[in-house]
Amino acid sequence: MSIYIRWFFSKTLRQAVDMRRHVHKLMRAQCDILSPQAIEVIEQACRELYQVTETASDQKKLLEGMATLEKVANQWLKPYPHAGYRENIEVFLVAIAVAMGIRTFFLQPFKIPTGSMQPTLYGITEEDLRNKPDVTVPSGFQAFVDSWFKGTSYFHIVAKADGELKGVSAPIKLLLFNLKQIIYIGDESYTVWFPPDNFPVRAGLADKQANGMLIPHTFKAGEDIVKVKVISGDHLFVDRVSFNFRHPERGDIIVFETKGISMLPQNQFYIKRMVAKGNEEVKIGNDQHLRINGKRLDAGTPGFENVYTFGKEYREGRYFGHVNAEMAYKIGKNIPARNFPDEQATYVVPKNSYLAMGDNTMNSWDSRDWGYVPRDNVIGKSFFVYWPFGERFGWSHLTTQ
């Protein structure tokens, strides 16, 4: 009977095979500190057990061979101090190496940082509830479910006494996470645990347009200082494999490094939609549609369903297609469009480069201002939203609406 078949049915044979491999591994690890005699004796014992596993089907002979090898190993191998710790550390390091390999070559986790890809993908969003007394902040099990599964957290702080807003501390971090932040009202202090980034602005205590300066306010005892609902941004995996076999196609959501793009912070990762490739001529008409080599893109173009499903007139809080500086001026929005100052402006994408734009083009800092993305900067494409568990979970953000 083949050893493979016997191995499948015999637990003792499996133990013997594993024992021989383990002893041989230890011997090789210690070969620089073992004497030649010790190495020879251990190798001989391993060969003998190997021969038994190859030929013997008698469980008694297998047990005798294992006992002999165990005796030889105990006599000649050097004992490892803290063997249990060493083995656990080895397993841990192997697991880290495998995880890093997967992250580097296959799937890299990525967190959407801003709202520039709405409504396809979302960064952190918030809703100030201070003027909504009918809204009840969840607690207990419901708060746990909302936070861990839906990515929705609530922060509710009520003033203990009258006092003026004096300041908000910088967040105290634990590894990559914000651990806590302290709000100072009059003589009282209030601790916010695990606050999101830019918490004072999200909570309505600071002005985003004024670089985060605090908004002066005097709170009365019992008044809501903070009552805000914060929804975590989408967390997704980046496919780092596909672009090894093909170049990005128009409509792909790409992730790229900012290295070498002069107007962007360096050594960061951005996510945008690829709209044009090298040597193509791009123009934005006052109908808010891109034209690639004279061909107009619309909602029927794969990947642009969310971008071009808008009304004829701009409405605050709605999405409005691609805009140039002229259209942005007409509707009173300060939109970066240095490369498209008006409807006559054209941009020719350099060879081996791409133009990338956010789907939320009314609030996206993208190729309309800082230009092209070198092909070598692209690391992959959006693949799978793994958290939170909502309408965009999975591949839904990649499908046609």
Side-chain angles (χ1 to χ4, degrees), residues 178-236:
N178 294 330
L179 179 62
K180 67 178 183 178
Q181 208 160 354
I182 302 174
I183 302 171
Y184 298 96
I185 306 288
D187 296 329
E188 301 286 346
S189 63
Y190 304 84
T191 300
V192 182
W193 293 98
F194 303 107
D197 291 336
N198 208 14
F199 176 74
V201 171
R202 299 187 188 281
L205 300 176
D207 187 352
K208 181 179 180 181
Q209 303 302 323
N211 296 319
M213 291 184 61
L214 293 179
I215 300 173
H217 190 90
T218 299
F219 294 93
K220 301 294 184 181
E223 182 182 354
D224 289 331
I225 299 172
V226 171
K227 189 179 181 183
V228 61
K229 174 183 177 181
V230 178
I231 304 175
S232 297
D234 293 328
H235 291 60
L236 56 83

Side-chain angles (χ1 to χ4, degrees), residues 2-204:
S2 168
I3 185 175
Y4 300 106
I5 298 177
R6 290 190 294 110
W7 182 91
F8 185 78
F9 288 103
S10 174
K11 179 180 178 180
T12 304
L13 179 58
R14 293 196 296 271
Q15 291 175 338
V17 171
D18 289 342
M19 180 181 181
R20 181 185 63 80
R21 289 175 177 171
H22 184 62
V23 171
H24 195 260
K25 175 184 175 182
L26 292 176
M27 186 268 297
R28 290 177 62 86
Q30 299 182 11
C31 63
D32 57 334
I33 60 175
L34 294 176
S35 66
Q37 179 186 5
I39 294 175
E40 181 179 353
V41 172
I42 295 170
E43 286 185 334
Q44 178 61 32
C46 288
R47 284 194 295 268
E48 290 176 357
L49 183 57
Y50 175 77
Q51 292 173 357
V52 172
T53 58
E54 287 286 316
T55 59
S57 58
D58 185 356
Q59 185 177 20
K60 181 178 179 181
K61 291 184 178 180
L62 288 172
L63 292 173
E64 290 175 352
M66 292 168 65
T68 300
L69 180 57
E70 181 180 11
K71 181 179 179 180
V72 170
N74 289 336
Q75 179 181 355
W76 294 100
L77 289 176
K78 306 293 184 182
Y80 278 107
H82 310 296
Y85 290 114
R86 296 169 69 98
E87 185 172 349
N88 289 334
I89 291 174
E90 180 180 348
V91 171
F92 179 70
L93 293 176
V94 170
I96 289 179
V98 171
M100 292 299 294
I102 293 174
R103 182 187 185 279
T104 302
F105 299 106
F106 298 97
L107 295 174
Q108 176 176 333
F110 184 84
K111 179 175 70 173
I112 302 298
T114 68
S116 70
M117 283 299 294
Q118 292 176 208
T120 308
L121 292 166
Y122 278 69
I124 299 176
T125 57
E126 68 282 335
E127 181 182 359
D128 193 343
L129 305 175
R130 288 181 297 180
N131 294 321
K132 298 181 179 180
D134 55 318
V135 176
T136 302
V137 174
S139 60
F141 180 73
Q142 184 60 48
F144 172 82
V145 171
D146 287 348
S147 177
W148 285 90
F149 292 92
K150 299 179 182 178
T152 302
S153 300
Y154 294 84
F155 300 88
H156 190 197
I157 299 175
V158 178
K160 302 174 187 176
D162 294 355
E164 183 180 353
L165 175 61
K166 291 184 175 180
V168 181
S169 71
I172 298 174
K173 293 185 174 292
L174 177 65
L175 299 178
L176 300 177
F177 304 96
N178 294 330
L179 179 62
K180 67 178 183 178
Q181 208 160 354
I182 302 174
I183 302 171
Y184 298 96
I185 306 288
D187 296 329
E188 301 286 346
S189 63
Y190 304 84
T191 300
V192 182
W193 293 98
F194 303 107
D197 291 336
N198 208 14
F199 176 74
V201 171
R202 299 187 188 281

Side-chain angles (χ1 to χ4, degrees), residues 249-323:
E249 299 173 354
R250 193 180 339 277
D252 281 344
I253 301 174
I254 62 173
V255 177
F256 57 93
E257 293 181 278
T258 60
K259 180 180 179 181
I261 303 177
S262 59
M263 296 185 67
L264 294 182
Q266 297 298 288
N267 301 316
Q268 294 187 14
F269 293 102
Y270 273 36
I271 184 168
K272 303 288 180 184
R273 192 178 296 277
M274 196 277 273
V275 301
K277 54 190 176 181
N279 299 323
E280 291 185 329
E281 184 180 272
V282 185
K283 188 176 181 179
I284 302 177
N286 269 347
D287 59 356
Q288 295 84 64
H289 284 261
L290 283 176
R291 286 170 169 76
I292 311 296
N293 293 334
K295 182 179 180 181
R296 180 178 184 265
L297 301 188
D298 55 30
T301 307
F304 293 86
E305 299 85 3
N306 283 335
V307 180
Y308 292 130
T309 51
F310 53 84
K312 293 182 179 180
E313 295 182 358
Y314 172 73
R315 294 176 60 188
E316 186 69 31
R318 298 294 180 91
Y319 306 101
F320 198 58
H322 291 103
V323 296

